[in-house]
Amino acid sequence: MQRKVGILGGGQLGRMLIQAAIDFDLDISILDPDPNAPCKLFANHFEVGKLTDFDTVYQFGQTVDLLTIEIENVNVDALEKLEQEGKKVFPQPQVIRTIQDKRVQKQFYQTHQIPTPDFVLIDDKSQLEANADFLPAFQKLGKGGFDGRGVQKLSTSADFDKAFENPSLLEKLVDIDKEISVIIARNESGDMTTFPVVELVFHPEHNLVDYLLAPSQIAPELATQAEAIAKKVMLAFDMVGLLAIEMFLTKDGEILVNEVAPRPHNSGHHTIKANGTSQFEQLWRAVLDMPLGDTSTQSLAAMVNVLGAAGHTGDAIYEGVNETLGVTGAYLHLYGKKLTKPSRKMGHVTILDQSLEGLQQKIELIKNSIKVVTK
């Protein structure tokens, strides 16, 4: 008998989860507010509704055997009620609640002695002046920040005019050597496995990942340390599912947790082509309490995000597709989004090569080839 699984969110992560779910013969239901969400054409059942509405989420959850998410901005009260009534919900609602608020998330790390940059909590803009000596720092909104939004640098008190008014935190600026990520999976039986550490290179303007390198080129002992921190975070949450942990590697060799996402993540898209098991298949293995898959790297890899071009908002037109597909070892994944806007994630390209030099050359070639524009 098919397992009925519900996913809250119907974006590109849900789309790739469905692609992996086909191999397990899962019956997938999607809830998303967008009637034209990327998952619409691929789900067994697609429902339009608000992810933050209690009744909508609760009633949707009644129709499936198990619930998971592809976005954190969901109604946790409904998930908690479903869990109390015996429904399997992974990641567990209390994990989502903690992660939804960056202020609570940072306090969680502090409580569990997980290394993270120093921070202070700010209830509103008026409290900034009293913390001027903490600058330079990044101000991060407690709630609502996503894909680079809700984060800004405050260098001096002269920047207070542009500061966020809502509850936030100031995170001490650290001297970063590299930004890295570890994705870890854990099933109900308690088995855990990590994917190899990847190295993230951010776009200088958009605060989004421009491309990544997998595995990271950091020293093996640092990679081992990062994976150990990932396991500590997963166990602290006592979480079942898939967790992406973004970290800073400082120039002093210290590894600090930045933030986490309890779902498939942009830093794991390359695993579809480059690893023994993809992050999407691994999520299903984890939440269905199956044996976790082999995460070993099969090839050096890179992943380039395909973002909406600046100055273009409207019906998406893809330029440079043939040039991209003509690159040996390049694999294009488009997300099926009809509308583009500046910096919107419209797809990604995974690149495989036998050398780091070859990867870097192909990264630049592809970044200069594929564009998402409008008429």
Side-chain angles (χ1 to χ4, degrees):
M1 182 178 174
Q2 278 188 317
R3 295 287 300 274
K4 293 183 178 181
V5 179
I7 303 174
L8 297 181
Q12 65 264 22
L13 299 178
R15 183 179 171 115
M16 288 181 273
L17 278 170
I18 291 173
Q19 290 170 335
I22 290 170
D23 290 338
F24 293 124
D25 194 30
L26 300 177
D27 184 284
I28 301 294
S29 296
I30 296 287
L31 177 67
D32 194 274
D34 180 1
N36 296 308
C39 283
K40 181 180 182 180
L41 298 178
F42 301 95
N44 298 96
H45 315 280
F46 182 83
E47 181 179 332
V48 177
K50 285 183 65 176
L51 300 175
T52 54
D53 180 73
F54 179 94
D55 289 337
T56 301
V57 172
Y58 178 72
Q59 289 165 13
F60 175 76
Q62 298 278 36
T63 67
V64 298
D65 302 319
L66 181 149
L67 265 176
T68 191
I69 62 169
E70 64 116 55
I71 187 171
E72 293 93 311
N73 189 24
V74 297
N75 191 293
V76 178
D77 291 337
L79 296 181
E80 286 178 338
K81 182 172 174 60
L82 288 163
E83 185 182 54
Q84 289 163 6
E85 293 174 353
K87 192 74 65 178
K88 287 187 178 292
V89 182
F90 299 126
Q92 299 94 315
Q94 72 269 19
V95 176
I96 302 172
R97 189 180 292 282
T98 298
I99 292 171
Q100 278 181 338
D101 189 332
K102 286 186 172 67
R103 290 156 54 96
V104 177
Q105 191 181 147
K106 292 289 275 190
Q107 290 174 299
F108 177 88
Y109 301 147
Q110 194 174 59
T111 299
H112 290 86
Q113 298 181 316
I114 293 164
T116 193
D118 291 339
F119 66 95
V120 292
L121 301 183
I122 302 294
D123 292 329
D124 57 50
K125 204 171 178 177
S126 67
Q127 295 182 353
L128 288 171
E129 197 63 53
N131 291 281
D133 59 348
F134 198 73
L135 303 181
F138 282 99
Q139 185 188 20
K140 297 184 176 183
L141 284 174
K143 294 184 177 181
F146 186 74
D147 271 354
R149 296 183 289 274
V151 178
Q152 62 180 339
K153 184 179 179 182
L154 302 180
S155 298
T156 69
S157 56
D159 294 326
F160 287 167
D161 285 345
K162 70 175 184 180
F164 301 126
E165 182 63 49
N166 291 339
S168 64
L169 62 91
L170 288 180
E171 183 179 88
K172 190 71 175 175
L173 197 67
V174 295
D175 199 4
I176 298 172
D177 182 28
K178 295 179 185 294
E179 297 198 40
I180 58 177
S181 175
V182 178
I183 292 177
I184 183 169
R186 181 170 179 255
N187 62 20
E188 276 193 279
S189 298
D191 302 322
M192 283 193 299
T193 186
T194 59
F195 285 86
V197 183
V198 301
E199 188 173 322
L200 310 175
V201 178
F202 281 78
H203 193 285
E205 297 173 14
H206 306 310
N207 198 27
L208 289 169
V209 173
D210 190 17
Y211 66 90
L212 66 76
L213 296 173
S216 171
Q217 300 303 297
I218 63 175
E221 59 270 21
L222 289 173
T224 299
Q225 184 182 342
E227 290 174 7
I229 291 172
K231 290 174 182 176
K232 183 175 182 178
V233 174
M234 188 62 127
L235 289 173
F237 279 121
D238 192 22
M239 180 183 147
V240 171
L242 194 77
L243 186 68
I245 301 124
E246 294 183 76
M247 307 179 194
F248 300 134
L249 172 60
T250 72
K251 290 184 178 175
D252 293 332
E254 190 177 12
I255 296 177
L256 305 172
V257 172
N258 176 20
E259 57 190 43
V260 302
R263 52 167 172 78
H265 191 257
N266 192 235
S267 65
H269 291 348
H270 66 286
T271 60
I272 296 172
K273 293 293 184 183
N275 294 71
T277 305
S278 77
Q279 65 166 339
F280 302 99
E281 178 182 333
Q282 196 77 308
L283 180 138
W284 293 128
R285 286 172 174 258
V287 301
L288 296 170
D289 203 23
M290 295 175 172
L292 298 176
D294 169 31
T295 59
S296 63
T297 300
Q298 310 295 304
S299 169
L300 281 175
M303 188 280 298
V304 177
N305 273 324
V306 178
L307 305 177
H312 291 268
T313 299
D315 293 338
I317 298 172
Y318 295 88
E319 297 180 346
V321 169
N322 286 350
E323 291 86 344
T324 298
L325 294 176
V327 176
T328 302
Y331 300 90
L332 176 63
H333 301 259
L334 299 180
Y335 299 155
K337 297 177 180 178
K338 305 302 181 188
L339 299 177
T340 184
K341 57 185 177 181
S343 302
R344 189 181 193 193
K345 290 177 181 173
M346 302 297 290
H348 72 267
V349 181
T350 298
I351 310 164
L352 307 182
D353 200 275
Q354 297 305 307
S355 73
L356 188 60
E357 182 182 8
L359 274 182
Q360 293 285 9
Q361 290 173 351
K362 290 176 181 178
I363 288 169
E364 293 307 313
L365 179 60
I366 286 169
K367 283 173 60 178
N368 291 323
S369 296
I370 192 159
K371 310 288 181 189
V372 188
V373 297
T374 55
K375 289 183 180 178

